[in-house]
Amino acid sequence: MKSLATTRIRRAVSAAVLATTAGMVHASSMPARWQLNMGEGVTETARNAYRMHMIALWVCVVIGVIVFGAMAYAMFKFRKSKGAVAAQWSHNTKAEVIWTVIPILILVVMAWPATQMLVKQADTSNPVLTVKVTGYQWKWRYEYVDYEGKPTGVNFVSKLDAESDKTRQLKSGLDPHAVKVGDEATYLLNVDKPLVLPTNAKIRFVVTADDVIHAWWVPALGWKTDAIPDIINDAWTLIEQPGTYRGQCAELCGQDHGFMPIVVEAKPKAEFDRWLAAQQAAATPATAPAAPAPAAAPQG
Amino acid sequence: MATHAAAGHHADHHDDHDHKPQGFWDRWVFTTNHKDIGTLYLVFAFIMFCIGGAMSGVIRAELMTPGLQFVDPGFFNQMTTVHALVMIFGGVMPAFVGLANWMIPLQIGAPDMALPRMNNWSFWIMPFAFTVLLCTLFLPGGAPAGGWTLYPPLSLQGGSSVAFAIFAIHMMGISSIMGAINIIATILNMRAPGMDLLKMPLFVWTWLITAFLLIAVMPVLAGAVTMLLTDKFFGTSFFNAAGGGDPVMFQHIFWFFGHPEVYIMILPAFGVVSEIIPTFARKPLFGYQAMVYATASIAFLSFIVWAHHMFTVGMPLGGELFFMYATMMIAVPTGVKVFNWVSTMWKGSMTFETPMLWAIGFVILFTIGGFSGLMLAIVPADFQYHDTYFVVAHFHYVLVTGALFSIIAAVYYWWPKWTGRMYSEKWGKFHFWWTIVFVNLLFFPQHFLGLAGMPRRIPDYNVAFADWNLISSIGAFGMLCTPVFMFLILWHSKKHGAAATQQVWEGAHGLEWTVPSPAPHHTFTEPPVIRAQDLAHGDPTH
Amino acid sequence: MATAEGKHIYYVPHGSKWPAVGTIGLFTTMIGAANWLNEVSWGKPAFYVGVAILLFMMWGWFGDVIRESIKGMYNSQVDVSFRMGMMWFIFSEIMFFAAFFGALFYARMYSVPWLGGEGDGALTNFYLHQGYAPAWPTNGPEAVGGAFQTIPAWGVPLLNTLILLTSGVTITIAHHALRAGHRKQLLVFLGLTVALGALFLYYQAEEYIEAYQHLNLTLGSGVYGSTFFMLTGFHGLHVTLGTIMLLIIWFRCLKGHFSKDHHFGFEAVAWYWHFVDVVWLGLFMFVYVL
Ligand code: HEA
Ligand code: HEA
Ligand code: CUA
Ligand SMILES: [Cu+2]
């Protein structure tokens, strides 16, 4: 009979493995219980983040093993109780030069790929779809500004789903574990109306806010960017797999900061087109917001 | 050199200089004595640590399991905000100033601080500043809840607390600046003849540089919060893009203060550890001069890395790259320090009394915190880490197992000198091991939470985060016992501890160990004659 | 460096009640100000009571220092401590102004151009502030505070620049006079400095009145008004304090407190005055001219 502890550890390990090999067909970005590491995500950006994270992690682990190993050895070997007599030297120029230069080299090796990734990521030009994201206390508005060169007029608000909202009230007595979509426990990670996006298309986000600063973050996409009132920040993504990707507001924005999740549903192009057309049909009678002519939108 | 110390009783040109003032008010409120003021600072810091700790207890209780059990989200945010302000401005900084007050005059052979009356003022402003801050908890609308970073526009949404918090910060700033001026003047002007700059103990050196940082950045914080104040009450548009300003501008100004601020909280810690390790390794500090230069380089670099807290605000690419490179550079001088500590232990003759245990704990756990700092510096990865518990884990490793550990180490190290009594080694070690277990339970899992995607500053979370949060909370409750342990250990020592010798520790060097234990109320009223063998550093062998 | 020159031992004062008085004064001032801003009725009077306590504290504290100094309790080492204290205090003031200059530069070099669509701000301008062209002065895309005019640099501000520069000269002459022992010259030139400081303040007050009454330039005039009044206002506050300090020093000269080579009080105020002067030059350049 396995002890509780072993099952837990096993679960932790398998969860970690699961998280790193996540999703082949319909990917999900739900955090796993006992998850230990960053997920790899479903975009190149996310993989880059993961790669830099792993490089840095291993560099630190190796340096840590060397430094702490030396310390442990010293503490074991050079203790007074074992009769160690203290040496009196206090310099060694050669050693000092070495441990100044080697870290510099290590840092350069890490900075190099990081720079390349950043340069690539800064380029938001030539998107297929532009989505304007606006943060409010405490919900998000999504405007499909233009798609394949045409304005769409689709525009809606997305906020915490009702079930989570009921459960999260102080002393509600409701069980957060019971909030589920299918077999996923989506407590606080589900919305009433998700952001639907096409896969394999470059999507540009223009992000802003209406009251205070928020930050738009879906871990599986690999970045977050602040939503700042009266300012636009831009970012892009190219989602490689259809799926449901969940995230949260990542900048303190007041009392319900913890309760403004983000859900992205990525669909293959054809499906997305159908979805968009349906939305447009539904929205036509309503007044479309005065979205500025997209053709003129700067590409920078 | 007991002769000098004992020479407290010499022909002074005042009347009652030789004895402690007797009355409470004379002794503690009107005092100009650096030792008493140091004690006041340390007692104050201890109380603040307990208050800030209690608030973290509220945070961790709420986060123990998913769902909201104890407090509403607004109050949770107040706890987070005030916890940080209390710990940083009320705990760590005053504790280090207290240590500076006690030890710098003793370590450089000065009769007192350079400006003793101002010294008193610096201290007494602090309790009142925190009265102003903490009274907001009882105002309608409660305490500030926008995070300790006070980002507008959110921070301006606070009710009546905004003005109180800002004025409290002004008061803390005034206190810190005066304290820092005093420390600089003391170090530069009050050293005993022969105590050359490059013979000063490292604790003194790190404080000299820290004091410079304080004077350079506390006024900038004052300016930043003043602009917040006018934006809220006088219609200015500094942080309002509609009027041509920019909310991000606040973040730049704040972090121009904020990043040097974190080194203000760690440089004196480096100093403390650089005193303790040589003592218990019975071997001179390795690379004394390199340590001084490394400290100076860290201080210099700290002025040009601030925007690494802002990688996601939408800076131009060039800015992101510059701040990434500059930040990564800090690992180099910090590494020099770590390597020097290890080299000091190498071929030493070590014993592991309580202060040494804390110092070793510091070196290992601070380095782990530094490693996560380095990871945060890498922009593509920080796009994921930013504003998650990974950051929370990082800064608690550097602040709690860094700054706080060094403060505790320093208190155990110098306590016998202050009081003339030894504490119980057994219980001191118990305190250490207990803390090591619980502090790691508390903060290590937060790395996992952050990587799995848990944002910081949230009162509730998805059930997938439940397990590590529970463990973290258990760690927190263990940690909350530690101030009680420390209080009892020190109380017991004060009442029943064995008498301490003058040198206290076999391997201790430095002027402070040449005066009796407890250190007389006045020391070095005449500058001591400095002999090479009394010096902690400064190379008798070179 | 500490030298035990015979009996010249570093002066460590007795306990003093002035810091405690100062603390109570500061606390009352701050609590008063906060309540005043929150429109609590006793806030304003409390603020003034606090300021009064602070003034009382300064009177008493400096009085003690002056008496001790006259009694010869301070040796040269104490003098150095005071000098360092003053120098680093001025440095902290420089950094305080640096925050506001930083805000000005940031607004002019980054936030306003970005809002206007330059550089990285193209999308911000396109989506949120179309039609807003970056320029300085500005009150932002939403013209916060309404249209306003600015104070031309070459009128009163130039005059004020000349006034302050002259006052820098007069105080130096006064200092030389003090060192040379020319008492009358000292009093005249120090008095002139005080007068110039007051004149500066007079003109600045005129300028503010003009701005508020005729130019619609106020603290609320977007980022231009904010930086303009914040910088000139805090500078003006420093000139006010400096002028008061000069006046006190003038009376102390009149009483003969200072000797040829022992007059740190005078020098500290002179340093402070020069600092205020230099800040003004920065202001004149960056707030008015450019
Ligand atoms: C005492 C306080 C302290 C200290 C010392 C540090 C030290 C460092 N910090 Fe940390 N930091 C904080 C306190 C501190 N920090 C706080 C409070 C925050 C959060 C604020 C908030 O948002 O509320 C923060 C946040 C923070 C961020 C922002 C994260 C985010 O919000 O996204 C970053 C990013 O770069 C960062 C980086 C660093 C780095 C690179 C160091 C370096 O100085 C570390 C250097 C040390 C080492 C690297 C280890 C030893 C070195 C070696 C053994 C040599 C060899 C090593 C290598 C070559 C890898 N810190
Ligand atoms: C030095 C600073 C410091 C210290 C010591 C601590 C200590 C602790 N912190 Fe905190 N913390 C911060 C600085 C600090 N923290 C900051 C800056 C933030 C960010 C706030 C923000 O987001 O705005 C934060 C945020 C923060 C969070 C995240 C909140 C959120 O994002 O929602 C959490 C959650 O677990 C937490 C928990 C704890 C816990 C359990 C401790 C425990 O370690 C507490 C137990 C310790 C003690 C009770 C004190 C022991 C002291 C002694 C034994 C005294 C010795 C001294 C003398 C003798 C003089 N802290
Ligand atoms: Cu929106 Cu946090
Ligand atoms: Cu930093």
Side-chain angles (χ1 to χ4, degrees):
Chain A
M1 213 187 143
K2 265 182 275 175
S3 74
L4 188 65
T6 18
T7 17
R8 287 210 161 170
I9 290 168
R10 284 194 162 208
R11 238 193 275 151
V13 172
S14 57
V17 171
L18 225 134
T20 51
T21 58
M24 298 283 58
V25 190
H26 188 94
S28 156
S29 67
M30 285 299 290
R33 292 189 64 176
W34 300 105
Q35 183 173 332
L36 296 173
N37 203 0
M38 188 188 278
E40 271 188 273
V42 289
T43 65
E44 194 193 337
T45 311
R47 274 196 308 281
N48 282 344
Y50 177 78
R51 230 180 83 207
M52 279 321 301
H53 162 69
M54 291 313 282
I55 294 174
L57 180 63
W58 282 113
V59 165
C60 291
V61 167
V62 170
I63 298 176
V65 166
I66 296 170
V67 174
F68 304 147
M71 258 177 97
Y73 181 80
M75 284 189 283
F76 183 73
K77 194 77 193 291
F78 309 118
R79 43 173 74 220
K80 194 177 174 210
S81 57
K82 291 181 97 186
V85 179
Q88 287 304 315
W89 43 259
S90 60
H91 291 278
N92 185 334
T93 312
K94 203 198 269 169
E96 294 182 65
V97 170
I98 290 175
W99 68 50
T100 311
V101 172
I102 291 185
I104 294 180
L105 296 177
I106 295 174
L107 294 176
V108 172
V109 168
M110 285 198 280
W112 182 257
T115 304
Q116 286 178 319
M117 292 171 191
L118 267 181
V119 171
K120 185 143 190 222
Q121 212 169 314
D123 177 16
T124 60
S125 60
N126 301 318
V128 176
L129 168 67
T130 297
V131 179
K132 183 168 171 222
V133 179
T134 310
Y136 297 84
Q137 285 172 320
W138 290 274
K139 52 190 182 267
W140 298 97
R141 174 182 290 282
Y142 299 113
E143 288 172 54
Y144 291 71
V145 178
D146 67 293
Y147 178 51
E148 295 179 331
K150 290 187 292 290
T152 71
V154 174
N155 162 14
F156 58 87
V157 166
S158 169
K159 62 176 194 305
L160 184 66
D161 67 305
E163 215 190 332
S164 294
D165 197 42
K166 215 163 56 203
T167 310
R168 64 109 176 170
Q169 300 303 324
L170 181 58
K171 301 190 176 115
S172 71
L174 300 173
D175 180 10
H177 295 266
V179 181
K180 285 196 166 175
V181 173
D183 54 0
E184 280 184 351
T186 55
Y187 179 56
L188 300 183
L189 288 179
N190 199 12
V191 294
D192 54 355
K193 192 160 186 205
L195 173 67
V196 179
L197 296 174
T199 52
N200 291 314
K202 183 166 179 181
I203 304 161
R204 174 168 67 175
F205 295 88
V206 290
V207 183
T208 183
D210 194 55
D211 32 45
V212 300
I213 304 177
H214 306 260
W216 199 83
W217 180 38
V218 176
L221 305 191
W223 49 265
K224 61 175 71 71
T225 196
D226 287 6
I228 304 170
D230 283 312
I231 305 241
I232 294 275
N233 279 330
D234 58 336
W236 65 273
T237 194
L238 191 151
I239 304 172
E240 292 158 356
Q241 291 162 35
T244 306
Y245 307 113
R246 297 172 194 279
Q248 283 176 270
C249 176
E251 177 65 57
L252 179 60
C253 54
Q255 66 169 8
D256 287 353
H257 160 62
F259 309 105
M260 52 184 292
I262 296 157
V263 179
V264 167
E265 237 168 62
K267 299 182 192 289
K269 182 171 173 0
E271 226 178 295
F272 173 78
D273 287 349
R274 274 200 300 282
W275 176 86
L276 192 69
Q279 298 295 310
Q280 279 178 304
T284 341
T287 44
Q299 294 297 311
Chain B
M1 292 194 106
T3 46
H4 284 286
H9 299 262
H10 66 87
D12 199 338
H13 60 281
H14 310 292
D15 24 25
D16 62 348
H17 234 198
D18 303 325
H19 303 288
K20 294 185 180 64
Q22 290 308 309
F24 173 84
W25 289 82
D26 284 336
R27 174 85 193 267
W28 299 110
V29 182
F30 304 141
T31 178
T32 49
N33 181 278
H34 71 102
K35 300 186 184 74
D36 285 349
I37 293 175
T39 304
L40 285 171
Y41 266 113
L42 288 164
V43 170
F44 173 75
F46 187 87
I47 295 169
M48 286 292 135
F49 274 127
C50 293
I51 295 177
M55 291 175 176
S56 73
V58 175
I59 297 173
R60 283 308 335 161
E62 184 54 69
L63 291 174
M64 190 163 59
T65 52
L68 288 177
Q69 290 85 22
F70 304 107
V71 295
D72 67 69
F75 187 72
F76 180 90
N77 291 345
Q78 295 173 31
M79 286 293 108
T80 302
T81 306
V82 182
H83 158 69
L85 291 171
V86 165
M87 287 297 201
I88 289 176
F89 293 101
V92 174
M93 291 170 70
F96 279 131
V97 179
L99 293 172
N101 257 294
W102 251 105
M103 299 320 298
I104 288 175
L106 282 179
Q107 291 189 318
I108 62 175
D112 206 297
M113 297 293 280
L115 303 160
R117 276 180 290 230
M118 193 171 86
N119 199 19
N120 172 313
W121 202 26
S122 307
F123 169 73
W124 274 105
I125 289 175
M126 289 305 282
F128 288 88
F130 277 88
T131 308
V132 176
L133 180 68
L134 293 175
C135 77
T136 59
L137 281 164
F138 306 101
L139 289 179
W148 82 282
T149 48
L150 302 170
Y151 286 2
L154 180 66
S155 62
L156 301 179
Q157 286 185 346
S160 35
S161 68
V162 177
F164 286 89
I166 288 175
F167 288 127
I169 290 171
H170 278 139
M171 291 173 77
M172 295 167 204
I174 292 170
S175 161
S176 296
I177 291 167
M178 290 197 301
I181 289 175
N182 219 333
I183 288 170
I184 292 197
T186 305
I187 297 173
L188 293 183
N189 189 36
M190 305 280 287
R191 279 168 289 130
M195 178 56 78
D196 305 340
L197 282 176
L198 282 175
K199 287 185 179 158
M200 295 194 311
L202 225 85
F203 179 68
V204 181
W205 255 114
T206 51
W207 245 117
L208 178 65
I209 292 168
T210 303
F212 170 76
L213 289 180
L214 273 167
I215 303 177
V217 302
M218 287 308 285
V220 175
L221 174 66
V225 297
T226 303
M227 288 185 263
L228 276 186
L229 190 79
T230 59
D231 266 15
K232 181 161 171 87
F233 292 100
F234 300 99
T236 56
S237 299
F238 289 105
F239 311 131
N240 172 14
D246 185 347
V248 176
M249 186 206 299
F250 176 84
Q251 302 183 17
H252 281 291
I253 303 175
F254 179 87
W255 288 115
F256 182 83
F257 146 80
H259 188 82
E261 167 68 16
V262 306
Y263 292 108
I264 287 168
M265 293 188 282
I266 208 66
L267 295 184
F270 292 164
V272 166
V273 169
S274 304
E275 300 299 318
I276 293 175
I277 291 181
T279 295
F280 296 98
R282 294 168 180 75
K283 184 162 160 283
L285 182 69
F286 185 90
Y288 170 82
Q289 298 211 3
M291 288 298 227
V292 172
Y293 296 132
T295 311
S297 323
I298 294 172
F300 168 76
L301 286 171
S302 77
F303 284 105
I304 55 166
V305 300
W306 74 86
H308 64 218
H309 297 272
M310 304 165 54
F311 284 141
T312 63
V313 300
M315 262 186 296
L317 179 63
E320 309 255 305
L321 291 174
F322 171 81
F323 286 108
M324 170 167 79
Y325 300 150
T327 304
M328 292 173 82
M329 284 301 297
I330 296 190
V332 176
T334 316
V336 167
K337 293 197 157 266
V338 172
F339 301 139
N340 284 358
W341 290 321
V342 178
S343 309
T344 306
M345 297 185 199
W346 200 260
K347 295 241 155 101
S349 169
M350 276 189 273
T351 51
F352 299 90
E353 286 86 343
T354 307
M356 182 64 161
L357 290 179
W358 289 98
I360 290 170
F362 171 96
V363 176
I364 295 174
L365 297 177
F366 166 79
T367 301
I368 290 175
F371 286 153
S372 58
L374 184 84
M375 295 169 76
L376 290 165
I378 296 169
V379 186
D382 186 66
F383 285 158
Q384 294 282 44
Y385 305 136
H386 177 68
D387 259 321
T388 67
Y389 262 78
F390 192 79
V391 179
V392 176
H394 157 64
F395 67 70
H396 282 99
Y397 266 87
V398 282
L399 281 169
V400 177
T401 60
L404 181 63
F405 266 35
S406 83
I407 291 165
I408 297 172
V411 171
Y412 279 115
Y413 183 56
W414 283 312
W415 176 265
K417 178 55 61 190
W418 299 339
T419 62
R421 302 214 176 241
M422 301 304 289
Y423 55 84
S424 154
E425 275 300 342
K426 186 174 110 204
W427 287 102
K429 285 180 178 157
F430 168 80
H431 177 196
F432 172 77
W433 288 110
W434 176 285
T435 307
I436 282 292
V437 169
F438 285 101
V439 84
N440 285 299
L441 276 183
L442 167 53
F443 295 121
F444 210 83
Q446 295 185 352
H447 292 110
F448 307 144
L449 286 171
L451 293 173
M454 178 168 160
R456 60 191 281 208
R457 296 167 164 173
I458 57 174
D460 197 3
Y461 46 80
N462 181 269
V463 294
F465 302 126
D467 310 287
W468 289 126
N469 266 303
L470 178 62
I471 291 181
S472 178
S473 289
I474 292 170
F477 301 140
M479 273 300 283
L480 286 177
C481 307
T482 60
V484 180
F485 296 156
M486 191 161 179
F487 182 82
L488 292 176
I489 292 166
L490 297 181
W491 184 264
H492 180 266
S493 153
K494 183 97 180 112
K495 293 286 165 222
H496 310 287
T501 62
Q502 177 170 305
Q503 198 189 3
V504 183
W505 313 109
E506 187 188 36
H509 292 285
L511 287 181
E512 76 260 42
W513 309 110
T514 66
V515 305
S517 307
H521 197 58
H522 292 284
T523 34
F524 303 129
T525 31
E526 268 171 36
V529 175
I530 294 185
R531 303 176 308 175
Q533 66 268 34
D534 292 333
L535 288 175
H537 309 290
D539 255 336
T541 56
H542 206 184
Chain C
M1 183 110 341
T3 41
E5 312 153 338
K7 284 187 228 82
H8 275 233
I9 281 170
Y10 197 87
Y11 175 68
V12 178
H14 295 272
S16 163
K17 62 182 182 311
W18 296 118
V21 174
T23 301
I24 292 168
L26 190 65
F27 179 65
T28 316
T29 311
M30 293 298 190
I31 283 278
N35 278 298
W36 187 2
L37 288 175
N38 288 329
E39 290 166 355
V40 175
S41 59
W42 53 267
K44 189 172 170 184
F47 172 80
Y48 286 116
V49 169
V51 172
I53 300 175
L54 281 175
L55 291 175
F56 172 65
M57 175 274 286
M58 283 189 207
W59 179 267
W61 191 331
F62 289 135
D64 276 359
V65 173
I66 291 166
R67 275 185 293 279
E68 286 163 2
S69 169
I70 290 172
K71 275 201 239 160
M73 289 160 136
Y74 297 162
N75 62 10
S76 55
Q77 198 189 355
V78 178
D79 200 55
V80 173
S81 288
F82 286 153
R83 277 162 204 280
M84 287 184 173
M86 191 67 196
M87 264 167 46
W88 289 102
F89 167 66
I90 290 178
F91 175 61
S92 78
E93 290 267 56
I94 291 173
M95 293 309 293
F96 183 65
F97 275 98
F100 300 117
F101 274 108
L104 175 69
F105 296 150
Y106 186 90
R108 295 190 60 168
M109 283 160 55
Y110 300 111
S111 69
V112 170
W114 283 340
L115 289 168
E118 285 176 13
D120 274 37
L123 290 167
T124 298
N125 183 264
F126 176 77
Y127 282 102
L128 303 174
H129 310 295
Q130 276 194 14
Y132 175 67
W136 189 262
T138 181
N139 50 1
E142 285 173 30
V144 172
F148 65 91
Q149 288 169 284
T150 58
I151 308 258
W154 305 111
V156 173
L158 177 66
L159 185 64
N160 262 349
T161 308
L162 296 177
I163 290 173
L164 275 194
L165 285 177
T166 315
S167 77
V169 175
T170 54
I171 195 165
T172 307
I173 297 176
H175 192 192
H176 282 295
L178 173 58
R179 277 215 291 243
H182 301 320
R183 190 177 142 79
K184 184 127 176 259
Q185 196 188 9
L186 163 67
L187 288 174
V188 170
F189 276 88
L190 191 55
L192 259 176
T193 316
V194 176
L196 287 168
L199 192 64
F200 174 95
L201 288 171
Y202 170 78
Y203 279 123
Q204 182 160 23
E206 287 284 294
E207 188 181 288
Y208 275 20
I209 291 169
E210 165 80 3
Y212 264 79
Q213 293 191 342
H214 302 295
L215 305 178
N216 190 33
L217 173 60
T218 70
L219 255 181
S221 299
V223 76
Y224 181 84
S226 309
T227 50
F228 176 85
F229 283 104
M230 202 69 152
L231 278 160
T232 56
F234 267 110
H235 178 262
L237 194 70
H238 282 76
V239 177
T240 312
L241 291 176
T243 308
I244 295 171
M245 279 156 44
L246 285 168
L247 193 65
I248 293 169
I249 291 295
W250 188 84
F251 278 110
R252 291 190 62 196
C253 289
L254 192 68
K255 282 183 137 185
H257 278 174
F258 298 122
S259 70
K260 280 181 193 179
D261 36 32
H262 214 74
H263 50 257
F264 171 67
F266 182 100
E267 282 174 307
V269 174
W271 292 347
Y272 192 77
W273 193 251
H274 286 306
F275 148 71
V276 168
D277 215 0
V278 171
V279 172
W280 175 261
L281 290 180
L283 271 174
F284 183 62
M285 280 306 285
F286 294 112
V287 175
Y288 293 99
V289 176
L290 294 177

